[in-house]
Amino acid sequence: MIYVKAFILCGLISMIGQIILDNTKLTPGHITSMFVVIGALLSFLGWYDYLAEFSKIGSSIPITSFGNALYKAAVMGYEEAGLIGLFNNLLSTTSAGISGAVFFGFLFSTVSKVRD
Amino acid sequence: MASFSYQNVYIKDYASIAGPKEKKGKLSFKNTIEDYYNGEQTLEDAEIKMQNFCLEELVEKNKLKNIPLVLGGDLLNQISITSYNLVNKNIPFLGLYNACATFNEALIVLSNFIENTTNPINEGIVITSSHNLNSERQYRYPVEYGCPKKNYTTFTTTGAAAMFLTNKKSNIKVESSTIGTVVDYGIKDVSNMGAVMAPSASKTLHDHLTDLKRNIDYYDLIITGDLGRVGSEIFLKLVEKEHHYKPKKYYDASSILYNEEQETYSGGSGPVVVPLVLINKILKEGKDKKILILATGSLHSPLMVNLKKSIPAITHAVSIEVMK
């Protein structure tokens, strides 16, 4: 059951992304940014916690969890050190994802070639 | 009124080279490259090398010593491929840009130079090239960005081509030409080049026939450059509806380059499509005598598209006669 629940939420989010991609002029970049914003909004409304409780890993795999993490980190920073803490802490929980993307992006670009 | 008739402009020789995907397509090419890098470090160098190959082949085969003029262009920023190809070659050069209509533009300018006997230029070379990975990055998205494509998208053709024009008689004559006008039907979709260019092709065809007082049946074959399957359908509907033209024989050059299963969506595109098909199909087969080439160009600037402007288009017509 735990797998089914994970699949339901993760699959639903991916399906929405695919439908948008197939039917609009938006590119993958537009859609991932949009999902980050939606994730942050859901987090602000407090709904992302319900999704996480229901689907566990299914809620943390899609890019919406990045928005959730951004929002949570910003709130945490604000509570610790006020407005400046909001900016200090904003990227703290997502640091692994961002640094990883930059590092591995560089690493693989050195050994890969473009094709059509 | 920008139509010209020529009495002594001839195509003496030509050279072309095609990319790896074109090699597996419908036409057979004498020269092809094996992969997109063509033995170079960058894709830009690969394209320069292809263009240089065509120029060198013409120079060697015709034993050209002093080329009075080279005209041409490509799709990359500031037509850099053609400019870099001609670095330190000591050849007078005019760089032209009309997107995928560049080849016809060059043909028209050079033909006018040669026809006019008051200037010293009586021969010259027109050259063009395009490269799939360079152009997709320049005009749409880099291929490695992984953006899925629409079915009506065209696929930039990889290749280079050059033609040697002279005032000495040969069996291929540049007979007449018409300079196109810029047409904008308000389309903003960078994937839908066929719809952007079809109205312009229809207009230039009409201008050409009206200026030279010809019937559409004068031509054995009419080809459009790179409208793709989607655009050529729109073109045929437009010419029939607006001007009641029914060409005897018509096809779109970009639609006949690839096989259906090659996933090139609506067909090829790029300034090299017209000369590739002209050299490797029409002139090779030699079946059609009077040929009208409508090279369509979408004057698409990524900057203007980002400013939400629509995409204008231009079409230049060149009529070629093959004699026995």
Side-chain angles (χ1 to χ4, degrees):
Chain A
M1 200 57 201
I2 198 163
Y3 295 113
V4 175
K5 281 180 173 172
F7 175 75
I8 289 173
L9 183 69
C10 198
L12 195 72
I13 294 171
S14 310
M15 189 181 79
I16 296 170
Q18 189 66 46
I19 290 172
I20 299 173
L21 202 58
D22 286 347
N23 294 296
T24 64
K25 276 196 270 175
L26 299 177
T27 73
H30 293 110
I31 293 166
T32 42
S33 327
M34 193 164 77
F35 276 22
V36 169
V37 174
I38 290 172
L41 271 176
L42 289 177
S43 187
F44 165 72
L45 296 169
W47 297 355
Y48 213 88
D49 291 338
Y50 293 117
L51 296 177
E53 207 176 301
F54 165 73
S55 161
K56 306 267 178 346
I57 189 77
S59 74
S60 65
I61 295 274
I63 192 71
T64 41
S65 81
F66 194 84
N68 176 44
L70 282 178
Y71 177 75
K72 290 269 162 66
V75 170
M76 214 191 293
Y78 184 72
E79 281 166 357
E80 271 174 24
L83 197 60
I84 197 77
L86 191 153
F87 288 97
N88 273 339
N89 218 36
L90 184 65
L91 299 174
S92 61
T93 49
T94 48
S95 169
I98 298 171
S99 322
V102 172
F103 177 72
F104 288 109
F106 167 72
L107 197 68
F108 286 107
S109 73
T110 58
V111 293
S112 315
K113 285 198 161 184
V114 201
R115 30 186 304 200
D116 67 1
Chain B
M1 278 297 176
S3 293
F4 311 90
S5 290
Y6 308 114
Q7 304 310 318
N8 40 26
V9 184
Y10 299 90
I11 297 172
K12 189 168 173 226
D13 200 3
Y14 37 77
S16 72
I17 184 164
K21 197 143 190 164
E22 291 66 31
K23 190 181 174 184
K24 297 190 188 108
K26 279 183 183 162
L27 302 185
S28 62
F29 300 99
K30 195 176 125 205
N31 307 304
T32 50
I33 60 169
E34 290 303 320
D35 82 316
Y36 280 120
Y37 281 90
N38 196 13
E40 295 290 320
Q41 282 290 314
T42 67
L43 299 165
E44 290 75 14
D45 284 327
E47 191 176 342
I48 297 170
K49 196 176 168 186
M50 282 196 300
Q51 228 192 54
N52 186 44
F53 171 87
C54 294
L55 187 65
E56 293 290 318
E57 187 169 286
L58 283 186
V59 169
E60 268 173 43
K61 266 168 69 185
N62 297 287
K63 298 186 178 62
L64 302 174
K65 289 238 170 59
N66 295 311
I67 307 167
L69 184 60
V70 167
L71 291 140
D74 55 86
L75 290 179
L76 216 62
N77 269 331
Q78 289 88 33
I79 48 175
S80 24
I81 301 294
T82 319
S83 308
Y84 274 66
N85 179 24
L86 289 156
V87 164
N88 289 340
K89 288 205 167 101
N90 200 23
I91 303 171
F93 166 59
L94 286 177
L96 303 172
Y97 181 83
N98 262 177
C100 310
T102 302
F103 190 76
N104 266 17
E105 185 190 12
L107 274 179
I108 295 173
V109 177
L110 185 56
S111 299
N112 282 5
F113 265 115
I114 295 176
E115 179 77 7
N116 184 349
T117 45
T118 54
N119 69 50
I121 289 167
N122 48 28
E123 57 182 24
I125 287 176
V126 291
I127 196 160
T128 193
S129 68
S130 52
H131 190 296
N132 179 271
L133 298 172
N134 286 338
S135 308
E136 295 291 331
R137 182 199 59 212
Q138 167 102 43
Y139 292 100
R140 288 179 274 261
Y141 303 100
V143 175
E144 55 273 34
Y145 178 52
C147 186
K149 292 188 171 170
K150 308 278 181 199
N151 282 334
Y152 50 74
T153 311
T154 46
F155 177 94
T156 310
T157 302
T158 306
M163 277 185 175
F164 175 46
L165 272 70
T166 162
N167 62 353
K168 294 182 191 70
K169 211 169 164 136
S170 80
N171 58 355
I172 309 161
K173 183 181 179 190
V174 181
E175 189 265 337
S176 61
S177 71
T178 299
I179 298 177
T181 53
V182 182
V183 176
D184 190 339
Y185 268 43
I187 291 160
K188 294 181 179 175
D189 186 350
V190 294
S191 302
N192 202 356
M193 288 304 160
V196 168
M197 298 185 291
S200 138
S202 160
K203 183 174 185 302
T204 301
L205 174 65
H206 181 65
D207 289 350
H208 179 78
L209 296 175
T210 321
D211 285 357
L212 297 169
K213 297 185 180 59
R214 277 179 190 165
N215 193 297
I216 186 117
D217 291 332
Y218 176 87
Y219 291 105
D220 299 331
L221 172 66
I222 292 177
I223 66 164
T224 46
D226 57 352
L227 293 178
R229 292 183 192 96
V230 178
S232 49
E233 270 172 39
I234 303 175
F235 170 74
L236 279 181
K237 273 185 200 151
L238 266 179
V239 291
E240 184 164 4
K241 207 175 142 197
E242 288 187 350
H243 311 297
H244 308 288
Y245 292 149
K246 266 200 175 161
K248 260 198 289 191
K249 185 175 170 193
Y250 162 79
Y251 55 78
D252 180 66
S254 69
S255 316
I256 60 155
L257 272 176
Y258 305 100
N259 291 314
E260 294 283 327
E261 65 274 11
Q262 277 186 297
E263 288 187 352
T264 53
Y265 317 98
S266 178
S269 71
V272 82
V273 170
V274 163
L276 272 190
V277 170
L278 188 64
I279 293 169
N280 296 289
K281 182 178 165 76
I282 299 169
L283 297 179
K284 203 192 228 175
E285 289 172 353
K287 272 190 280 187
D288 304 295
K289 304 299 172 212
K290 289 176 178 165
I291 305 145
L292 183 68
I293 305 157
L294 297 163
T296 47
S298 122
L299 303 173
H300 159 198
S301 147
L303 173 72
M304 300 308 261
V305 169
N306 286 343
L307 295 174
K308 310 283 178 215
K309 305 261 187 216
S310 56
I311 307 167
I314 193 160
T315 302
H316 297 302
V318 170
S319 150
I320 283 176
E321 264 179 37
V322 183
M323 291 164 289
K324 284 224 163 138

